[in-house]
Amino acid sequence: MGISTKEISEVIKERLKDFDASLVSVDVGRIVAVGDGIAQIYGLQNAMAGELLEFPRDTFGLALNLEEDQVRSVILGDFGHLHEGDEVRTTGRLLEVPVGDELLGRIVNPLGVPLDDKGPIKTSKTLPVEKIAPGVITRKRVDSPVQTGIKAIDAMIPIGRGQRELIIGDRFTGKTTVLLDTIINQKGKDLYCIYVAIGQNAASIARVAATLEEAGAMEYTIIVAASAADPASLQYIAPYAGCAMGEYFMDQGKEALCCYDDLTKQAWAYRQLSATLRRPPGREAYPGDVFYLHSRLLERAAKLNQAHGGGSLTALPVIETQANDVSAFIPTNVISITDGQIYLQSDLFNAGQRPALNVGISVSRVGGDAQTKAMRQVSGKLRLDLAQYRELAAFAQFASDLDSATRNQLERGARLTELLKQDKYQPVPLSEQVAVLYAGTQGHLDKVPVARVLEWAGGFVRFLKADRQGLLDEIDKQKALDDTLNARLNAAISTFNHQFGIEGYEDQPDPAAKTEAKKAS
């Protein structure tokens, strides 16, 4: 039996009734030339700056140069399969990366692709890698510390949540160690960490991951890796990708820390891209917008006010200098963007001072606002004493005899310098830092031989944990020293100095000993 025309038209009408097709506008172009990770494309009339472009075989690129007759795009990843004449499409969206709690404990590339053989990452949210920094109205003043666990930094160059603190120095001066110590010290705290490795060899990145894993720090850390073997395009976007992952936590009202190791190599990658994009070179062959490369990244670090969730994103960028030259182009750029710098000097490092912190050049422009009251109380004179000691030590080597005041200052400075030495990957809790620094700044170590200062500090901490545990707990709880705590600290130091065999210390009545003996019984 045949079907009538009317029935056919009814079926078509029925189908068309539920048909819903959205209009999609796509610009299509063709590759004119490809090489060195750059594609020249003809025909993308409406492409946007920074737009994601789709190449054959699920390859993507970033439109960076919009010229009169063509678009130059950076290819994100392998480009060996792309040829002249291949079709390129606009996507209408900016480059995005996956974000979320699911990334914690994982090693990913700057596009969010896992590199650690732990299976796929199932995230439901993405954020653009480029974003306008929070405005002044949405921010609040930095008022709480990021405890690094490094005595010299927490005492003299404190880092606040929402701050941008530059870590600068030559190769092999301990810059990465400062970052890893800081991440390890966040165990059990409320700070999520993102470590961005830029242009390092794969073995170094694997060592970092192994160190964090061994310390139990990977559970709250994301590693974004763009190794030296990766294309310059991935090294260029890696810090922005890590920043976007950190902003996810800040937007949730949580606290995050981004470590960029290091931005010198990002600047090199950007210089390489700019040369192949035919951008005109300026000073030291860098393009004119290299300052903007780092400023638009670091300005995204912020402490938001309560009306905007109260979250924070702290940035610790690393810059590598050549022969201690902090006046070079990239170092001066980043120094002017950040809120202070921690300067690690190779001479101090080679002399055995770890961390090799140069107190004279290092500074935190947030200062005491990023410290607990207890740390401010014990470290107030420390920075000045050390700076004066370094100056005096330089002159004293030419003097045959010194007056007693100068000699005393040199003796105190030598002991404080020794006290601030610290092994890597062994961060010190706040209460222990306060107790040890109190002893040093109040002159209780003046009779301890310089060579035995670290031995004294280690023994004193063990003594407090065994015999005066309540004292450390009280410092942690109050985060400030009052007359009672000062008296208990003085008594504990006096008792320990007597045990340590230092002449000139008499037994003093220790009120803490009686109190804690009663508690124990």
Side-chain angles (χ1 to χ4, degrees):
M1 188 175 74
I3 300 173
S4 68
T5 311
K6 187 178 179 182
E7 286 175 317
I8 293 171
S9 66
E10 288 296 331
V11 170
I12 293 171
K13 283 178 184 175
E14 189 66 33
R15 294 284 175 88
L16 288 174
K17 189 170 69 174
D18 299 325
F19 180 71
D20 179 28
S22 55
L23 186 65
V24 178
S25 173
V26 176
D27 255 16
V28 178
R30 297 276 175 188
I31 296 178
V32 177
V34 62
D36 296 324
I38 304 294
Q40 297 177 42
I41 306 157
Y42 175 78
L44 298 182
Q45 304 299 329
N46 298 313
M48 301 180 290
E51 184 176 1
L52 200 61
L53 304 180
E54 188 177 351
F55 290 84
R57 293 200 212 168
D58 288 333
T59 304
F60 291 91
L62 208 56
L64 287 186
N65 275 27
L66 305 183
E67 298 167 17
E68 191 175 350
D69 56 346
Q70 64 180 1
V71 171
R72 289 182 195 263
S73 166
V74 171
I75 300 161
L76 303 171
D78 184 36
F79 56 88
H81 60 281
L82 299 179
H83 305 285
E84 184 181 333
D86 283 350
E87 189 178 273
V88 184
R89 292 168 174 261
T90 57
T91 61
R93 57 193 176 94
L94 300 174
L95 180 59
E96 296 177 328
V97 289
V99 297
D101 293 330
E102 297 86 351
L103 286 160
L104 293 171
R106 302 299 300 269
I107 304 172
V108 297
N109 78 358
L111 300 175
V113 178
L115 302 173
D116 52 9
D117 299 327
K118 292 183 180 176
I121 300 171
K122 296 174 182 173
T123 59
S124 56
K125 189 172 174 59
T126 60
L127 284 179
V129 296
E130 297 269 13
K131 182 181 171 187
I132 295 175
V136 177
I137 304 302
T138 65
R139 298 175 182 241
K140 63 174 287 194
R141 60 190 282 272
V142 173
D143 57 6
S144 51
V146 172
Q147 293 288 345
T148 65
I150 301 170
K151 290 176 286 190
I153 293 175
D154 288 344
M156 296 183 291
I157 325 290
I159 300 168
R161 298 193 176 196
Q163 189 178 348
R164 300 151 300 180
E165 184 76 10
L166 172 62
I167 298 167
I168 186 169
D170 279 13
R171 291 188 72 197
F172 304 119
T173 50
K175 301 185 296 297
T176 301
T177 302
V178 170
L179 298 180
L180 297 186
D181 272 333
T182 305
I183 292 173
I184 291 168
N185 195 50
Q186 306 315 314
K187 188 170 184 180
K189 299 185 176 71
D190 58 345
L191 198 65
Y192 296 96
C193 304
I194 296 93
Y195 176 83
V196 184
I198 310 156
Q200 300 178 28
N201 59 51
S204 299
I205 298 171
R207 272 197 301 273
V208 166
T211 301
L212 295 179
E213 193 76 59
E214 191 178 332
M218 276 304 288
E219 61 193 43
Y220 53 85
T221 303
I222 304 167
I223 295 180
V224 181
S227 72
D230 287 325
S233 55
L234 290 183
Q235 294 180 42
Y236 158 62
I237 66 164
Y240 302 109
C243 187
M245 293 171 189
E247 280 174 334
Y248 164 80
F249 296 108
M250 178 173 71
D251 293 342
Q252 303 280 318
K254 299 173 183 175
E255 318 261 2
L257 169 73
C258 268
C259 304
Y260 307 112
D261 192 9
D262 67 69
L263 292 187
T264 306
K265 293 188 178 71
Q266 190 208 13
W268 291 350
Y270 188 60
R271 177 168 59 183
Q272 179 184 330
L273 289 178
S274 299
T276 50
L277 285 166
R278 300 283 189 268
R279 292 184 176 178
R283 181 174 157 187
E284 295 179 28
Y286 287 104
D289 63 337
V290 75
F291 177 90
Y292 185 54
L293 172 78
H294 292 146
S295 66
R296 72 179 192 266
L297 168 72
L298 297 173
E299 291 294 340
R300 289 159 70 177
K303 171 78 171 171
L304 298 180
N305 57 34
Q306 288 303 319
H308 292 82
S312 75
L313 179 64
T314 308
L316 293 183
V318 173
I319 288 289
E320 182 185 300
T321 54
Q322 309 287 329
N324 294 324
D325 184 11
V326 292
S327 62
F329 188 30
I330 299 300
T332 49
N333 273 355
V334 184
I335 285 170
S336 67
I337 297 164
T338 49
D339 306 313
Q341 66 273 351
I342 293 167
Y343 179 48
L344 303 176
Q345 198 167 356
S346 50
D347 299 347
L348 295 174
F349 187 86
N350 295 332
Q353 183 70 30
R354 313 285 167 81
L357 185 70
N358 182 315
V359 183
I361 298 179
S362 300
V363 64
S364 171
R365 296 190 186 105
V366 173
D369 285 350
Q371 283 178 311
T372 58
K373 188 177 179 184
M375 186 57 86
R376 277 202 305 277
Q377 288 171 304
V378 298
S379 67
K381 289 172 57 190
L382 181 64
R383 184 190 173 93
L384 187 61
D385 283 349
L386 279 178
Q388 289 176 339
Y389 161 70
R390 295 257 164 89
E391 292 295 321
L392 282 173
F395 287 107
Q397 57 188 323
F398 302 111
S400 54
D401 59 333
L402 301 166
D403 62 274
S404 59
T406 304
R407 194 179 301 109
N408 290 341
Q409 200 163 6
L410 285 169
E411 293 287 338
R412 173 78 58 87
R415 284 159 178 78
L416 290 176
T417 300
E418 196 69 20
L419 190 64
L420 291 175
K421 288 182 180 178
Q422 192 170 332
D423 289 334
K424 63 181 181 179
Y425 313 142
Q426 293 182 14
V428 181
L430 173 69
S431 56
E432 294 176 22
Q433 288 189 39
V434 169
V436 168
L437 290 173
Y438 177 85
T441 54
Q442 296 299 314
H444 294 292
L445 299 186
D446 289 356
K447 294 183 183 296
V448 179
V450 175
R452 297 189 68 194
V453 166
L454 282 179
E455 181 192 339
W456 183 96
F460 181 55
V461 169
R462 287 193 297 274
F463 169 76
L464 289 177
K465 286 180 176 176
D467 290 16
R468 304 285 190 276
Q469 180 60 53
L471 183 52
L472 290 177
D473 291 342
E474 198 63 30
I475 293 172
D476 262 332
K477 182 181 173 185
Q478 290 192 21
K479 293 188 168 41
L481 297 180
D482 53 22
D483 292 342
T484 307
L485 279 177
N486 285 340
R488 290 175 66 184
L489 271 171
N490 286 331
I493 292 166
S494 177
T495 303
F496 180 72
N497 273 344
H498 189 73
Q499 292 178 9
F500 199 72
I502 299 170
E503 295 301 321
Y505 270 90
E506 301 297 329
D507 274 329
Q508 293 184 17
D510 187 350
K514 294 178 184 175
T515 308
E516 293 184 17
K518 284 180 185 174
K519 284 182 185 175
S521 60

